Structures are given as C-alpha cells and as structure tokens.
Amino acid sequence: MDAIHDAALLWTPDGWQADAGLAVADGRFGPLRRGEPTGSGGWLLPGIPNLHSHAFQRAMAGLAERQTDVRDSFWTWRETMYRIAARFDPDSLQAVAAQLYAEMLEAGYTTVCEFHYLHHASDGRPYADPAAMSQALIAAARETGIRLTLLPVLYMTGGFDGRPLSERQRRFGHDLDGFLRLVQDLRGQEDATLRVGVAFHSLRAVPPQALAAALAALPAGIPLHIHIAEQIGEVQDCLALRDARPVEWLLANAPVDARWTLVHATHLTAEETAGIARSGATVAICPTTEANLGDGLFPLRDYLDAGGAWGIGSDSHVSVSPVEELRWLEYGQRLHTRHRNIAVGAAGGSVGQTLLRGPLASATQATGQAPGALAPGLAADWIELDRQAPAFAGARPEDVVDRWLFAGNRPLVREVHVAGRRVVAEGRHRDAEAIASRYREAVQTLLAD
Ligand code: NGQ
Ligand code: ZN
C-alpha cells in the first residue's frame, strides 16, 4: 500500500460510513478499514463523472448572450458556435481543454466523456496526423490528470434528409472507413486513465445505413453516445422523414442497451421514457446547457419512477460544476411542477443523496471506466469536501450532501485524487496558474479579428 487516507466520513452506496480508512496502491483502492476513529480525516466521496463535454465550447461561454435575431434559438446559437469552432487548431484546442479539465477537477469531476467532432482542419482537410485534434484532447487530459473517455464522433450529413455537410460542418465529417481507422488508432493508446468509445453526433448527422454499418464494425462493448432529442425541430423532422420520434426510432432500429448513453433525451413521450429505462441505457442530462440553449425539461420524476439510469454533463460549459447541474436539475422540476423535493427515492429522504446516486450508479456503464464507488479493487478516484467551511456548520452526516448541493456558491471541494494521485489541493489544481495563462493567450488569439 502506498498511502492510507483517513476518512471521518466515507460515502458508500448506503450513505455515510463514519471513521473509515482508504488504502491505495497502484491507482486502486485496497481494503477499506472501518470503524477506526479518525477524527482528523476528511469527508470523502467518489469523484463525479461528467458524461458530456465539447471542450472547445469553453472558450465561448458568455459570448452568445446577445440577441442576434428576435427569434434567437438553439439554431442561431449554433451559428455562433460554428464561427468559433472554425478557429481552432490542435494547440488552441489543447490550451482550452486543459483549462476546462483543470476547472472540472477543481469542481469535483474526475472523469470526462469528451464528445469530440472537431476532427479536421477548418477547410475540411484532414491534418497530417488525422488524429491530431484527438491527440490534443488526450494531451490535455494527461497534463491535468483527469480520467478521459474519448468519444470520436461520427458526423456525415447535415440533416435528416441526408443533405451534405455545410461549409462550417466540413471539419466534422468522415466516411465510415476513415472514422473506423481513427477509432482503431485511438484505441491503441488506451491506458489506465484513457478509454475510447464512439459517439454518433445525432440522427440528423448519421444516416440509418451508416449507423447499422458502424455498429456492425465497432468492437463489442465500447461506450456509445448520441445526441438524441434536444429540440422540438429535430423531433418534427424525424417524424416527417422517418415516421417516428427520435427516441422511438432509435429504440426500434438500434440495439440500445447499457452500452448506450442518450444525451439530451429532452423531448419524450411516456412510452419513450419507459422504453429508455427498460433498455438499460443511461440518459445524460445537461441542465445548465439545456437551460442556456432553451431546450426544454427532461421528465425526471417519471424516469426515476421507471428506474432509469442517468448522469450529468456540462456540455457547452456555461457552468463547470456538478453542484450547479444537480441543483438545477431539481430546480427545473420544482419550477415546472410548483412542488418541492422532486428527486427523492422510494423511501423519500434526501434530495441531495438521490441526486448524487444517479451519476455514481451509471458511472461505469456510461464511461467504460471510473466506477462511482469507494470500494476495494476499484479505481482510486475521490474528492474531499471542506468540512471546515461555514456551509457545513453543525451538519449531521445525513445533511452533508444536501448542504454541498443546496447551500450557497462557495466551492466546497478541497482535494481531488484521480487514480490515487492528488491533482487538486486546497481547492486549486496543481498547475492552475500555468494552465490559465496559456488559456488566456489562446483565447485572445482565437477571438482576435
Ligand atoms: C454540439 N450541442 O454538437 O455541440 C451540439 C450542438 C447540434 C448541443 N446539442 C450542435 N448542446 O446539435 O447540431
Ligand atoms: Zn453535445
């Protein structure tokens, strides 16, 4: 054992365990020691998985909040996003992703699923190394120490009607062979903190035959992510061209199971909600981005009643905080239903603990790694809350998670470890300053006319 970390409180699937110790060796937990009073220890929780990220969009957070049209919508936001996407190269992508991943670690995310479609140069031509942009993301993850599930994205068409990619979309595109070569190349680089899965950008961007062919050619068991039903407009287009709603179509035409993560399963009928839950797939909900883009509200209560798996993502990174995602997941439901305390388990109880269990329970299946538990043999990823913070004054163990998620705005994550290595101390990433100054330079260049 190379280290013992004492816990005054240790999070288990059944709630807090008092006075336990965590042994760590080779990046994994050894046997847990229980019942040894360690009043000096911290309050330890598993790291939180972030199931959905487009790293480059961190550089445009706050830059799409001016009206461009009286009917501003997701689709006008997307034009602004495409303009900024066009400016990235591998170096600027690495600089922005490193800043983002350092912020994620400081906030308590220890794994990120990167839904990556900025593959080629902005004129659409592949880089000399066709994986250059993927390598930039891998490098950013390695330098910051975050666990990465890289999801190269298959993006082929500009809409349900199969129209070709627009000029701005050309750098996202692949034919199937080129895409499979990229996936294979990246899979050769997997290590203890890197997994490679696959994403289908959306049903808009991947025709039915290509989806089937990709699924037949891809290795079994890898994580599969897709944007599914974020906007009413795409539900209507799907109905018009495929005679089914997006989730309905996917469930009927693809082998959806626990390997799948459905991102933005926002617009659902009752049958679709129950169907996803039955399939075993994970839903990735991105409350702050979905609010920012005016998407709509996920039917959380019905989905919890159906026993569905779910997690959270910070997506466009207008916020980089599991606290804000989970808090706004609950608040959206309260605003809509005019009731309180919606996300509770069958036995009622703490909203915070119910909210925390969702992303931890789906962590392994959605990320292909990073089990969301502090248990022997599992990857040693954990966060420590600042028990001295005023927000925790007088907290009983059963209050700690509710206080973390619902009391104030001061960051309460003090330390973060990934694969047994400490990457955040006193709330700051170990390389925060150097990463931030490179980020400032990169963004200045990106935004210059
Ligand atoms: C994306 N983002 O790929 O970055 C998308 C917008 C699209 C979100 N859906 C583009 N939040 O869906 O076409
Ligand atoms: Zn997305």
Side-chain angles (χ1 to χ4, degrees), residues 52-54 115 117 201 227 230 263-264 315:
H52 194 61
S53 165
H54 306 287
F115 197 107
Y117 58 87
H201 182 273
H227 290 136
E230 182 171 16
V263 184
H264 310 308
D315 189 355

Side-chain angles (χ1 to χ4, degrees), residues 362-399:
S362 64
T364 303
Q365 68 179 54
T367 69
Q369 54 179 339
L374 307 176
L378 301 187
D381 298 357
W382 78 92
I383 66 182
E384 179 183 330
L385 297 180
D386 179 8
R387 58 189 284 200
Q388 308 301 341
F392 288 126
R396 302 166 302 166
E398 59 268 36
D399 301 330

Side-chain angles (χ1 to χ4, degrees), residues 52 54 56-57 74-75 77-78 81-82 115 117 155 169 172 201-202 204 227 230 234 263-264 286 289-290 293 295 315-316:
H52 194 61
H54 306 287
F56 74 91
Q57 291 176 16
F74 174 88
W75 305 104
W77 166 84
R78 195 172 76 158
M81 185 272 276
Y82 282 172
F115 197 107
Y117 58 87
Y155 201 124
Q169 294 169 328
F172 315 156
H201 182 273
S202 52
R204 290 174 264 136
H227 290 136
E230 182 171 16
E234 72 184 329
V263 184
H264 310 308
C286 308
T289 294
E290 289 161 6
L293 298 181
D295 288 344
D315 189 355
S316 68

Side-chain angles (χ1 to χ4, degrees), residues 105-422:
L105 288 161
E106 289 179 356
Y109 291 121
T110 49
T111 303
V112 58
C113 296
E114 183 62 41
F115 197 107
H116 165 54
Y117 58 87
L118 227 54
H119 298 299
H120 312 305
S122 49
D123 61 4
R125 260 179 292 185
Y127 288 102
D129 172 4
M133 293 294 257
S134 297
Q135 299 302 349
L137 294 164
I138 293 171
R142 292 208 168 119
E143 68 174 295
T144 55
I146 201 165
R147 192 180 288 280
L148 173 65
T149 296
L150 182 60
L151 304 165
V153 173
L154 181 59
Y155 201 124
M156 303 175 88
T157 55
F160 279 103
D161 55 4
R163 80 187 79 147
L165 301 180
S166 70
E167 198 186 318
R168 295 238 192 248
Q169 294 169 328
R170 258 184 307 197
R171 69 182 312 188
F172 315 156
H174 274 106
D175 60 27
L176 190 54
D177 287 345
F179 180 70
L180 293 172
R181 276 197 301 278
L182 173 66
V183 173
Q184 193 181 15
D185 169 12
L186 296 173
R187 277 171 55 82
Q189 300 178 49
E190 289 188 338
D191 62 20
T193 56
L194 172 67
R195 280 289 170 283
V196 175
V198 158
F200 304 108
H201 182 273
S202 52
L203 296 181
R204 290 174 264 136
V206 182
Q209 300 84 334
L211 179 64
L215 288 170
L218 286 166
I222 67 172
L224 300 167
H225 289 222
I226 185 169
H227 290 136
I228 194 64
E230 182 171 16
Q231 285 287 315
I232 298 284
E234 72 184 329
V235 176
Q236 285 168 344
D237 286 355
C238 191
L239 271 167
L241 280 136
R242 299 199 191 168
D243 207 22
R245 302 164 56 84
V247 169
E248 182 188 11
W249 188 90
L250 190 74
L251 291 173
N253 290 280
V256 178
D257 59 18
R259 290 169 306 160
W260 288 74
T261 295
L262 275 45
V263 184
H264 310 308
T266 309
H267 299 289
L268 300 179
T269 62
E271 292 73 36
E272 289 175 315
T273 308
I276 301 174
R278 250 196 325 272
S279 74
T282 301
V283 164
I285 315 167
C286 308
T288 62
T289 294
E290 289 161 6
N292 185 273
L293 298 181
D295 288 344
L297 277 181
F298 175 72
L300 180 68
R301 189 62 258 171
D302 290 348
Y303 190 66
L304 293 178
D305 288 339
W310 65 276
I312 51 168
S314 61
D315 189 355
S316 68
H317 316 302
V318 287
S319 173
V320 183
S321 157
V323 170
E324 257 210 315
E325 299 306 335
L326 294 171
R327 187 183 284 182
W328 281 97
L329 178 59
E330 169 70 17
Y331 282 176
Q333 308 294 317
R334 293 188 191 184
L335 287 164
H336 183 66
T337 61
R338 295 185 240 129
H339 286 280
R340 300 190 71 253
N341 302 335
I342 311 296
V344 288
S350 153
V351 174
Q353 294 197 22
T354 306
L355 290 173
L356 183 62
R357 282 194 194 106
L360 296 179
S362 64
T364 303
Q365 68 179 54
T367 69
Q369 54 179 339
L374 307 176
L378 301 187
D381 298 357
W382 78 92
I383 66 182
E384 179 183 330
L385 297 180
D386 179 8
R387 58 189 284 200
Q388 308 301 341
F392 288 126
R396 302 166 302 166
E398 59 268 36
D399 301 330
V400 167
V401 179
D402 289 331
R403 299 267 192 119
W404 180 35
L405 298 185
F406 290 102
N409 303 91
R410 191 185 137 184
L412 296 172
V413 173
R414 207 173 82 89
E415 285 202 6
V416 178
H417 288 73
V418 179
R421 276 192 297 274
R422 187 169 71 178

